[in-house]
Amino acid sequence: MKAGLTIAAATIAMSAAPVAHANSDTIADLKALVSQGAFKEAYLHLGDIPPAQRSADWVDVASSAAAGVLPTLSSDDGTTIVAIDQIDRDYPQLLKTAKYMRVRADLGLKGLAGCYAQTSDYWSSYGIANCSTLALRFIDNAGGDKALALQVAKLASRSMMAYSAVPFFKRALARDPAVCRDGDLQTAVVSGLGLEPEHAGDAKAMMTTCWDSVKDAVAKAFDADSPHGYVRQNTCGILKAKGMISGLQAKRC
């Protein structure tokens, strides 16, 4: 990942850690800051309120501060998604507030797109891995948001090798069985079936779950694979059970 992303993202992520200040603000102070549009200052002082005093009022003002500070950050270089990841971990209470989650969903997706766009050349492998880690946590903390899970999965499928998107489509599928019909899922599954058997477990499970939608693509990949290729190793059993391969092919499984 480019150094610019790491440094820019750290600007808020590192300074936003919930640490009590010497001159602790009150909830009234935080509300005043939010009402004045001083979202970053309010956000950076959320930790002034001790955990035992973080009432419904605190959650409300905290969600306003977080939702207000995110639009001030850059989505183009991935800063937004790093900040969201930090907020989610520091203040998980906000994951239950509609105010924060609406902004999180919109800007998080844009931030992920920016994160993946920053990966190139020497930094590509490192950067993609970091973006994907953020993306998976982003989805895992998004509750049952079906549309967002699919959007992230499709973004991942466009940003990496197709098989790398399997964990994302697994999450999207868990939220909505209709995802089986998505063309990018089918591509990811077939690509995942080309991995060594010990790494193809999720792709095989999704193949079984989405059989009616992926069977034609799986059969085509089977036919195109070498006799001892991984696609054949990972699909021979189900194709044999479904009667979709010849007797000679079945004997060679």
Side-chain angles (χ1 to χ4, degrees), residues 51-77:
Q53 297 177 27
R54 293 178 186 176
S55 61
D57 277 350
W58 178 88
V59 172
D60 182 63
V61 75
S63 64
S64 295
V69 77
L70 287 177
T72 70
L73 306 175
S74 172
S75 294
D76 294 340
D77 65 1

Side-chain angles (χ1 to χ4, degrees), residues 54-239:
R54 293 178 186 176
S55 61
D57 277 350
W58 178 88
V59 172
D60 182 63
V61 75
S63 64
S64 295
V69 77
L70 287 177
T72 70
L73 306 175
S74 172
S75 294
D76 294 340
D77 65 1
T79 301
T80 305
I81 189 60
V82 176
I84 286 172
D85 189 65
Q86 186 73 45
I87 292 169
D88 291 353
R89 287 182 285 123
D90 286 347
Y91 303 116
Q93 307 96 315
L94 304 189
L95 296 172
K96 297 180 181 180
T97 66
K99 189 182 303 182
Y100 170 62
M101 294 302 282
R102 280 194 300 269
V103 176
R104 178 188 186 276
D106 180 38
L107 297 183
L109 189 63
K110 293 176 182 176
L112 282 172
C115 187
Y116 280 120
Q118 289 293 305
T119 59
S120 63
D121 304 325
Y122 174 81
W123 296 101
S124 181
S125 179
Y126 173 79
I128 287 176
N130 276 272
C131 293
S132 294
T133 297
L134 292 170
L136 288 172
R137 287 206 293 254
F138 178 65
I139 287 303
D140 288 343
N141 286 325
D145 194 327
K146 299 178 183 179
L148 186 61
L150 180 57
Q151 286 175 309
V152 173
K154 291 176 77 64
L155 172 63
S157 72
R158 296 193 300 269
S159 305
M160 305 181 287
M161 298 295 290
Y163 60 76
S164 297
V166 166
F168 297 92
F169 280 110
K170 177 183 178 181
R171 286 162 168 77
L173 184 60
R175 290 166 171 79
D176 184 6
V179 171
C180 281
R181 299 193 293 271
D182 187 89
D184 289 331
L185 174 140
Q186 295 164 27
T187 299
V189 168
V190 171
S191 179
L193 293 171
L195 298 175
E196 295 179 2
E198 59 266 32
H199 299 303
D202 283 343
K204 290 176 69 175
M206 290 167 63
M207 172 183 65
T208 301
T209 300
C210 298
W211 180 248
D212 288 342
S213 297
V214 304
K215 61 182 179 182
D216 291 341
V218 169
K220 183 177 180 180
F222 178 94
D223 290 337
D225 199 23
S226 61
H228 302 290
Y230 292 136
V231 172
R232 291 204 172 195
Q233 291 181 44
N234 290 319
T235 63
C236 196
I238 191 168
L239 289 171

